[in-house]
Amino acid sequence: AAGLRVTGAPQPPNILLLLMDDMGWGDLGVYGEPSRETPNLDRMAVEGMLFPNFYTANPLCSPSRAALLTGRLPIRSGFYTTNGHARNAYTPQEIVGGIPDSELLLPELLKEAGYTSKIVGKWHLGHRPQFHPLKHGFDEWFGSPNCHFGPYDNKARPNIPVYRDREMVGRFYEEFPINLKTGEANLTQIYLQEALDFIKRQQAAHRPFFLYWAIDATHAPVYASRPFLGTSQRGRYGDAVREIDDSVGRILHLLRDLSIAENTFVFFTSDNGAALISAPRQGRGAQGSPGTGTARLAPAEKELQGQNKTMKIHVPSRSWRDRSRKECLSNVTSKGPGGEPGGQTCPEGGSNGPFLCGKQTTFEGGMREPAIAWWPGHIPAGQVSHQLGNIMDLFTTSLSLAGLAPPRDRAIDGLDLLPTVLQGRLTDRPACHARVLPPSSAASLPSTEEEGPIFYYRGNTLMAVTLGQYKAHLWTWTNSWEEFRQGVDFCPGQNVSGVTTHSQEERTKLPLVFHLGRDPGERYPLSIASTEYLDALRWITPVVRQHQEALVPGQPQLNVCNRAVMTRLAVVSTAKHLEAAGAAGPAEPLPRARK
Amino acid sequence: AAGLRVTGAPQPPNILLLLMDDMGWGDLGVYGEPSRETPNLDRMAVEGMLFPNFYTANPLCSPSRAALLTGRLPIRSGFYTTNGHARNAYTPQEIVGGIPDSELLLPELLKEAGYTSKIVGKWHLGHRPQFHPLKHGFDEWFGSPNCHFGPYDNKARPNIPVYRDREMVGRFYEEFPINLKTGEANLTQIYLQEALDFIKRQQAAHRPFFLYWAIDATHAPVYASRPFLGTSQRGRYGDAVREIDDSVGRILHLLRDLSIAENTFVFFTSDNGAALISAPRQGRGAQGSPGTGTARLAPAEKELQGQNKTMKIHVPSRSWRDRSRKECLSNVTSKGPGGEPGGQTCPEGGSNGPFLCGKQTTFEGGMREPAIAWWPGHIPAGQVSHQLGNIMDLFTTSLSLAGLAPPRDRAIDGLDLLPTVLQGRLTDRPACHARVLPPSSAASLPSTEEEGPIFYYRGNTLMAVTLGQYKAHLWTWTNSWEEFRQGVDFCPGQNVSGVTTHSQEERTKLPLVFHLGRDPGERYPLSIASTEYLDALRWITPVVRQHQEALVPGQPQLNVCNRAVMTRLAVVSTAKHLEAAGAAGPAEPLPRARK
Ligand SMILES: [Ca+2]
Ligand SMILES: [Ca+2]
């Protein structure tokens, strides 16, 4: 059962990555959420290391997850589009692309050190058979290829499938129900059980494991199981957070119970910032009333619409979010506010704390993430590290834990965080090593070691760069005026003139620069006439230049949509419309539904 | 030396109130400040009880302090004006009024239980002799009657005096220097020493003490002593916070060293939310450059200007804040960014975390405060209480600690928090006891016990009320269009349409209602057509009505300004312009300067 392990060699530590979906920096008590409903995560931080300056590689699910598993910026792995400036893209059902075979994923590499790997939850790196997680190094999978949007009609559009390993075992809203009205779904409990079972099995088999727990209860439509519904001060979103917090507590408890806590490296983070909700029109004084405004699309659906202009996608006249809002209000009508399960939940998004904007944007609210490292007996308790960390570091760090070096035949953006978590060291990121500072300004630069860089991309556009405490925006953009006028707002309640722009403002020649220590909310751009501004730019500019000159973008994977790709799957569960499947269907045998 | 204490009776606990000035909810690591530079305060919270839902009674210094020391809303004690709707007022040098003799202050009452009381720092309840803290129950004072604005010319306007007990021992910017350019001042160290000395003396004398440590380093112009300058990631404001955090650590350490920690109740909070800085015009792309815009006044100075329209007050052409910004930039020019003492500090305000707006406003950012209770051996460690607390509760709680009942001849708004801190109970506020709920809605109301109410006043206007998690705005206003157009902005970077209004919007008939659990940032008003809205209003309306019907406003103390009041004091130190003193000078002998 020891697999490839050499008998007698010390077993490398287990690796457990807890990846949240659309959870914001400000959603944990330890990061200041006022309701403070995350006692288990807060305790995890007290027992481990908290990162206030940890980032994702992209403000959207798919590219962020590709970055985690490859250790590379999505621009390198191909998890971006070229069909729209600064256009975020992910993998909806219609998308043809996915994770290229040429990419080396963490579980593939960990096999060399004898690890057994499982993904629980959302994959999001392509849903066609060739992109299946078990073809990219995972030994087990329980979860879905896509977000739990729905329900769909299963004719023009199938519901999202749920897999156990290679087989589809059902679909969201069918075998795996999500009640949009009440917010009830049992999925987090199922994902928890999958995690606990896997850990127990691997421990019994004395095999090192990699568990990638990529749950999605905090991604809209947010859900929680019945025991947690209505238990939060924060509405339905808070219910979901409470259930996740409880689940993390149970997982860590199991590790201790099995006496493998000291041999299990655990890291908690999120794939992108909280999705802030468009400011509703209703309820402002006397003007307007709910449900009577024009239909507004949720950002994700909206994006889908723009995915391929020539394709007609079935979009309901009201998106799930509008529906959810409406139901939220009808719940209120039938049940009254507060306490009861299924009560009032709108708005349903999380919190990015003091940071600007959220998901989809390259402001801090979109990309700065909660992050906790936990490894009793190895990581000293109660530490806070100001290391500029990135989700891609989990790739390199995991390899390091397994005694493996990252691939040398390609650019790797992830940093080994072990010196940080074990010795509290602050480390430059790889891209910084070769940079040359102008001698004149070097003396006046802050003597920080945690300097970065952090690159903030949207699609294939480098929007911003952070070095040390200085962040330079090369482009500013929230979303288009057209979307904004329809009520889609990535920065509700926030408006920094010249910063939260709805036109795409190029600032590559004269970037907007913020000092993130004094001004974490990105409200006060440095004066372009100040020496500080000039020094910061002199520092950042060569780093940007070097990055862009050396960059070899991967083949973009997220450009092409084709309805046949999803319809082909739909017929499996509906046993209808087989002939409607288009030419672009998967070349390999279809997965079979098992019920 | 035991004073009024009966020999043999158990000595009541010492009471130590640590009151910050303009420090925001989000300024402590334990409340999520990203730089996490408050290890001592964070430890205090871990050893004690943290309040995420603690409020002040007014978003400005003077009325807030009057509320703390009287246990009464400023509208009752007279700490408000009638000369402007929703106009915040405080006690600048020109003000004639102050704390009325008819008010019973905490130190006066504590005398009955044998306490010796000292105030260290800012008094702000009137600077004329009859308002002197030693005339209102304090036995000792080291500090100033007013904010440390300045320097002034000492002709038309004197610098602010500093007192030891009854004697003036110098003035800010003279004997007690504050270097506006570097931000250096030794004041926090002096205030720390005063606290430590007092504690040691009282401990040696076996006397119970009340120490009111009302320091002001985080009030603009922010300052820190040399060892702390340049040590923060957050600029000069962060330097001030670090020095305060260090000082609190030393005070708590002394209590432990003297073995009186278990006999000393300590409470840390702030008088109002962080003062957010107006968004600077400079640095936005290519438009504008620093120092060339029109002069903008800092809110405090601006307010002062409006204090009495018929009076001509000396206002420098650029306020200290503009000057500070300019100097901040010149510092950058001469010293470069970052590390060095006196480096770059603008913006200099604190953080209100995820909350809306700041000081001067009745949004959560203006009135929700950091709050920690610490009493080893009595308050269980590591607790978080969601009690809706208020700064006025410190009055009643302190009396309770001393075994005293609050006065019965007047309305007292403070609540005894001892059941909360000792047993974790959530308690209604007094004003709630008599309220009558409409039976129809009672069943559907949240079954919370922490229901409030919290009243949010500006001047004599009841702007908002919070009951449980529902906050109703009866009026919305940030500041006037006129001020806003001049660059004064109490909500920089924030803009919630219909909420952060620059006109005074009356909403008493149809209040804006927010659910502070789901929406702590006050971004999503409930739909006025929802049952939740109607139920919340049905709950709140009678509480407002009852409060307003029963309210007997005190004589307004902050209406009248008279230059003579300040000039009369100025002559003491300058020994000039005696004849310029007007008729409204103090009736009692002037304090003598001692040098
Ligand atoms: Ca996501
Ligand atoms: Ca204040």
Side-chain angles (χ1 to χ4, degrees):
Chain A
L4 305 178
R5 301 289 312 152
V6 177
T7 312
Q11 185 169 298
N14 307 307
I15 298 162
L16 175 43
L17 302 185
L18 307 169
L19 184 71
M20 301 301 108
D21 201 342
D22 292 10
M23 187 180 277
W25 190 95
D27 274 327
L28 275 55
V30 72
Y31 284 103
E33 202 290 313
S35 301
R36 299 189 87 93
E37 295 178 332
T38 55
N40 293 288
L41 287 162
D42 296 352
R43 192 177 315 121
M44 183 181 173
V46 167
E47 295 171 356
M49 179 175 272
L50 183 78
F51 292 85
N53 304 336
F54 200 88
Y55 290 85
T56 185
N58 189 277
L60 207 64
C61 308
S62 284
S64 167
R65 286 148 201 266
L68 186 161
L69 290 175
T70 62
R72 285 147 60 80
L73 286 166
I75 187 75
R76 300 192 206 274
S77 65
F79 259 69
Y80 69 98
T81 66
T82 52
N83 60 12
H85 178 85
R87 191 171 84 68
N88 288 327
Y90 69 114
T91 54
Q93 296 178 82
E94 299 81 359
I95 204 78
V96 168
I99 191 75
D101 269 343
S102 55
E103 290 298 315
L104 286 170
L105 270 61
L106 180 57
E108 295 181 71
L109 296 166
L110 288 176
K111 272 195 199 312
E112 295 170 31
Y115 281 74
T116 303
S117 297
K118 175 163 193 159
I119 165 174
V120 174
K122 188 164 95 176
W123 168 240
H124 231 201
L125 299 189
H127 54 91
R128 297 172 73 198
Q130 64 267 39
F131 304 124
H132 193 287
L134 270 60
K135 296 219 166 118
H136 290 269
F138 283 103
D139 300 295
E140 301 184 14
W141 181 23
F142 184 89
S144 62
N146 279 314
C147 292
H148 55 280
F149 290 134
Y152 300 117
D153 62 2
N154 270 343
K155 291 172 187 168
R157 196 171 197 186
N159 276 317
I160 304 292
V162 175
Y163 284 80
R164 171 173 302 287
D165 302 333
R166 283 185 180 77
E167 287 187 287
M168 193 179 89
V169 292
R171 292 181 182 275
F172 288 136
Y173 302 94
E174 299 176 25
E175 293 81 3
F176 297 93
I178 301 169
N179 188 324
L180 289 181
K181 189 174 157 74
T182 63
E184 182 178 351
N186 213 32
L187 289 162
T188 300
Q189 291 305 313
I190 295 173
Y191 295 146
L192 169 61
Q193 207 51 54
E194 288 290 324
L196 299 176
D197 288 349
F198 177 74
I199 292 168
K200 284 180 203 161
R201 277 190 283 119
Q202 302 315 309
Q203 190 268 344
H206 303 288
R207 275 186 304 232
F209 67 78
F210 166 46
L211 174 56
Y212 174 44
W213 199 59
I215 62 171
D216 59 2
T218 46
H219 187 297
V222 299
Y223 60 77
S225 65
R226 188 179 292 264
F228 291 92
L229 280 175
T231 63
S232 163
Q233 297 179 50
R234 304 177 66 197
R236 193 177 292 177
Y237 184 91
D239 298 343
V241 172
R242 287 198 62 168
E243 183 164 18
I244 289 170
D245 178 73
D246 181 80
S247 299
V248 171
R250 285 171 197 270
I251 290 171
L252 299 187
H253 188 78
L254 175 66
L255 295 177
R256 290 204 192 271
D257 258 14
L258 297 176
S259 300
I260 54 172
E262 299 207 350
N263 198 34
T264 305
F265 175 88
V266 186
F267 203 95
F268 175 96
T269 190
S270 178
D271 68 340
N272 50 251
L276 303 183
I277 314 290
S278 306
R281 297 251 165 77
Q282 71 262 22
R284 290 201 185 131
Q287 74 259 35
S289 66
T292 60
T294 54
R296 273 168 282 120
L297 299 174
E301 298 270 347
K302 189 73 192 169
E303 178 199 343
L304 187 60
Q305 253 197 336
Q307 188 87 19
N308 189 324
K309 303 277 186 195
T310 62
M311 201 177 67
K312 196 163 161 43
I313 298 174
H314 171 256
V315 176
S317 63
R318 304 184 70 80
S319 74
W320 60 261
R321 183 163 284 161
D322 282 308
R323 215 166 43 233
S324 168
R325 268 200 208 120
K326 191 178 159 194
E327 282 159 9
C328 147
L329 293 164
S330 74
N331 283 344
V332 172
T333 305
S334 62
K335 298 199 179 183
E340 297 167 77
Q344 163 64 289
T345 58
C346 35
E348 355 181 275
S351 165
N352 297 315
F355 299 119
L356 188 64
C357 303
K359 179 176 179 178
Q360 298 268 10
T361 78
T362 44
F363 298 106
E364 292 299 284
M367 290 185 54
R368 206 192 286 216
E369 305 302 330
I372 304 169
W374 186 90
W375 191 12
H378 300 268
I379 299 176
Q383 303 295 300
V384 174
S385 172
H386 287 287
Q387 172 75 40
L388 290 184
N390 196 291
I391 200 168
M392 300 179 290
D393 302 345
L394 301 179
F395 173 87
T396 307
T397 304
S398 296
L399 292 179
S400 179
L401 285 163
L404 301 171
R408 287 165 198 237
D409 63 342
R410 63 196 68 204
I412 297 291
D413 299 286
L415 186 70
D416 182 359
L417 290 179
L418 282 192
T420 302
V421 297
L422 299 180
Q423 291 115 38
R425 278 172 47 196
L426 300 177
T427 317
D428 273 13
R429 307 197 64 77
C432 243
H433 292 159
R435 77 187 158 78
V436 179
L437 283 177
S440 65
S441 70
S444 65
L445 289 172
S447 60
T448 62
E449 296 179 42
E450 78 272 47
E451 47 200 9
I454 299 293
F455 294 110
Y456 305 67
Y457 272 90
R458 277 176 77 156
N460 58 348
T461 305
L462 179 61
M463 303 286 289
V465 180
T466 287
L467 267 186
Q469 291 197 302
Y470 291 99
K471 178 173 180 181
H473 288 272
L474 308 176
W475 289 84
T476 57
W477 190 39
T478 58
N479 60 349
S480 68
W481 278 114
E482 185 194 354
E483 280 186 329
F484 184 65
R485 286 199 196 95
Q486 291 173 9
V488 177
D489 187 355
F490 296 157
C491 314
Q494 299 178 313
N495 177 28
V496 185
S497 170
V499 178
T500 53
T501 59
H502 291 287
S503 50
Q504 300 180 349
E505 301 286 342
E506 180 167 9
R507 303 179 185 284
T508 52
K509 291 208 171 55
L510 217 54
L512 281 180
V513 179
F514 296 92
H515 185 285
L516 294 179
R518 298 193 304 265
D519 180 21
E522 293 168 284
R523 290 175 186 170
Y524 308 101
L526 298 187
S527 161
I528 57 168
S530 67
T531 308
E532 182 179 23
Y533 177 88
L534 297 173
D535 280 343
L537 264 203
R538 248 183 252 128
W539 194 28
I540 290 172
T541 304
V543 174
V544 172
R545 195 187 313 126
Q546 187 206 338
H547 170 73
Q548 293 186 316
E549 283 172 3
L551 182 71
V552 181
Q555 278 293 321
Q557 294 298 312
L558 309 180
N559 276 348
V560 182
C561 270
N562 188 324
R563 242 167 112 194
V565 174
M566 71 174 181
T567 315
R568 189 69 176 273
L569 289 171
V571 301
V572 177
S573 74
T574 60
K576 289 191 283 191
H577 307 286
L578 189 59
E579 59 288 350
E588 307 190 27
L590 288 166
R592 283 184 310 138
R594 179 173 79 174
K595 277 209 60 183
Chain B
L4 304 178
R5 301 284 316 148
V6 178
T7 312
Q11 183 168 300
N14 307 308
I15 297 162
L16 175 44
L17 303 185
L18 308 170
L19 184 70
M20 301 302 109
D21 202 342
D22 291 11
M23 187 181 277
W25 189 95
D27 274 327
L28 275 54
V30 72
Y31 284 103
E33 201 291 314
S35 300
R36 299 191 86 93
E37 295 177 332
T38 56
N40 293 289
L41 287 162
D42 297 352
R43 193 177 315 119
M44 181 182 174
V46 166
E47 294 171 357
M49 179 175 273
L50 182 79
F51 293 84
N53 304 336
F54 200 88
Y55 290 85
T56 185
N58 189 277
L60 206 63
C61 309
S62 284
S64 167
R65 285 149 201 266
L68 186 161
L69 290 175
T70 62
R72 286 149 58 79
L73 286 166
I75 187 76
R76 301 193 206 275
S77 65
F79 259 69
Y80 69 98
T81 65
T82 53
N83 61 9
H85 178 85
R87 190 171 84 69
N88 288 327
Y90 69 114
T91 55
Q93 297 178 81
E94 298 82 359
I95 204 78
V96 169
I99 192 76
D101 269 343
S102 55
E103 290 298 315
L104 288 169
L105 269 62
L106 179 57
E108 295 182 70
L109 297 166
L110 288 176
K111 273 196 199 310
E112 297 170 30
Y115 281 73
T116 303
S117 296
K118 176 163 190 156
I119 165 173
V120 174
K122 188 164 96 176
W123 169 239
H124 231 201
L125 300 189
H127 55 91
R128 296 171 72 199
Q130 62 268 39
F131 305 125
H132 193 287
L134 270 59
K135 297 221 167 115
H136 291 269
F138 282 103
D139 301 294
E140 301 184 15
W141 181 25
F142 184 90
S144 61
N146 279 314
C147 293
H148 55 279
F149 291 133
Y152 301 117
D153 63 1
N154 271 342
K155 292 173 187 169
R157 195 170 201 187
N159 276 318
I160 304 294
V162 175
Y163 285 80
R164 171 175 301 287
D165 301 334
R166 284 185 182 76
E167 288 188 286
M168 193 180 88
V169 293
R171 292 182 183 274
F172 288 137
Y173 303 94
E174 299 177 23
E175 293 79 5
F176 297 93
I178 302 169
N179 187 324
L180 289 180
K181 189 174 157 74
T182 64
E184 183 178 350
N186 213 33
L187 289 162
T188 300
Q189 291 305 313
I190 295 172
Y191 295 146
L192 168 62
Q193 205 53 53
E194 288 291 324
L196 299 177
D197 289 349
F198 177 73
I199 292 168
K200 284 180 202 161
R201 277 191 283 121
Q202 302 316 308
Q203 191 268 344
H206 303 288
R207 277 187 301 236
F209 67 80
F210 167 46
L211 174 57
Y212 174 44
W213 199 59
I215 61 170
D216 59 3
T218 46
H219 187 296
V222 299
Y223 60 77
S225 65
R226 188 179 292 264
F228 291 92
L229 280 175
T231 63
S232 162
Q233 297 178 51
R234 303 177 66 197
R236 193 176 293 178
Y237 185 90
D239 298 342
V241 172
R242 287 198 61 168
E243 183 165 17
I244 289 170
D245 177 74
D246 181 79
S247 300
V248 172
R250 285 171 198 269
I251 291 171
L252 300 187
H253 188 78
L254 176 66
L255 296 177
R256 290 204 192 271
D257 258 12
L258 297 177
S259 301
I260 55 172
E262 300 206 349
N263 199 34
T264 305
F265 175 86
V266 187
F267 203 95
F268 175 97
T269 189
S270 179
D271 68 340
N272 50 251
L276 303 183
I277 315 289
S278 306
R281 297 251 164 78
Q282 72 262 23
R284 291 199 184 134
Q287 75 258 37
S289 67
T292 60
T294 56
R296 272 167 283 121
L297 298 176
E301 297 271 347
K302 187 73 192 169
E303 177 198 343
L304 187 59
Q305 251 197 338
Q307 187 86 17
N308 190 324
K309 303 276 187 198
T310 63
M311 203 176 65
K312 194 162 160 44
I313 298 173
H314 172 254
V315 177
S317 63
R318 306 183 69 81
S319 73
W320 60 262
R321 184 162 284 160
D322 281 309
R323 213 166 45 233
S324 167
R325 265 200 211 123
K326 192 179 161 195
E327 282 158 9
C328 147
L329 293 165
S330 73
N331 283 344
V332 172
T333 305
S334 61
K335 299 199 177 183
E340 296 166 77
Q344 163 66 290
T345 59
C346 37
E348 357 182 274
S351 165
N352 296 315
F355 299 119
L356 188 63
C357 303
K359 179 176 178 177
Q360 299 268 9
T361 78
T362 44
F363 298 106
E364 292 298 285
M367 291 187 52
R368 207 192 287 214
E369 305 301 330
I372 304 169
W374 185 90
W375 191 12
H378 300 267
I379 299 175
Q383 303 295 299
V384 175
S385 173
H386 287 288
Q387 172 74 41
L388 289 185
N390 196 291
I391 199 166
M392 300 178 290
D393 302 345
L394 300 180
F395 174 87
T396 308
T397 305
S398 296
L399 293 179
S400 179
L401 285 162
L404 301 171
R408 285 162 200 241
D409 63 344
R410 63 196 68 205
I412 297 290
D413 299 286
L415 185 71
D416 182 1
L417 291 180
L418 283 191
T420 302
V421 297
L422 299 179
Q423 292 116 36
R425 278 170 47 196
L426 300 178
T427 318
D428 273 13
R429 308 196 64 77
C432 245
H433 293 159
R435 76 187 158 75
V436 179
L437 282 176
S440 66
S441 70
S444 66
L445 288 173
S447 58
T448 63
E449 295 178 44
E450 78 272 51
E451 48 199 11
I454 299 294
F455 294 111
Y456 304 68
Y457 272 90
R458 279 175 76 155
N460 59 348
T461 305
L462 179 60
M463 302 286 288
V465 181
T466 287
L467 266 187
Q469 291 197 302
Y470 292 98
K471 179 173 181 181
H473 289 272
L474 308 175
W475 288 85
T476 57
W477 190 39
T478 58
N479 61 347
S480 69
W481 277 114
E482 186 195 353
E483 281 185 326
F484 184 65
R485 286 197 197 98
Q486 290 172 10
V488 177
D489 187 355
F490 296 156
C491 314
Q494 299 179 313
N495 176 28
V496 185
S497 171
V499 178
T500 54
T501 60
H502 292 287
S503 49
Q504 299 180 350
E505 301 285 343
E506 179 167 10
R507 304 179 183 284
T508 52
K509 291 209 169 55
L510 217 53
L512 281 180
V513 179
F514 295 93
H515 185 285
L516 294 179
R518 297 192 305 264
D519 180 21
E522 294 169 283
R523 290 176 186 168
Y524 308 101
L526 298 186
S527 162
I528 57 169
S530 67
T531 308
E532 180 178 23
Y533 177 88
L534 297 173
D535 281 344
L537 264 203
R538 247 182 253 129
W539 194 29
I540 290 172
T541 303
V543 174
V544 173
R545 195 188 312 125
Q546 187 205 337
H547 170 72
Q548 292 186 318
E549 282 172 3
L551 182 71
V552 181
Q555 278 295 320
Q557 294 299 313
L558 308 181
N559 277 348
V560 181
C561 271
N562 189 323
R563 243 167 113 192
V565 173
M566 70 176 182
T567 315
R568 189 68 175 273
L569 290 170
V571 301
V572 178
S573 73
T574 61
K576 289 191 283 193
H577 307 284
L578 189 59
E579 59 289 350
E588 308 190 28
L590 287 165
R592 285 184 307 138
R594 179 174 78 175
K595 270 213 64 182

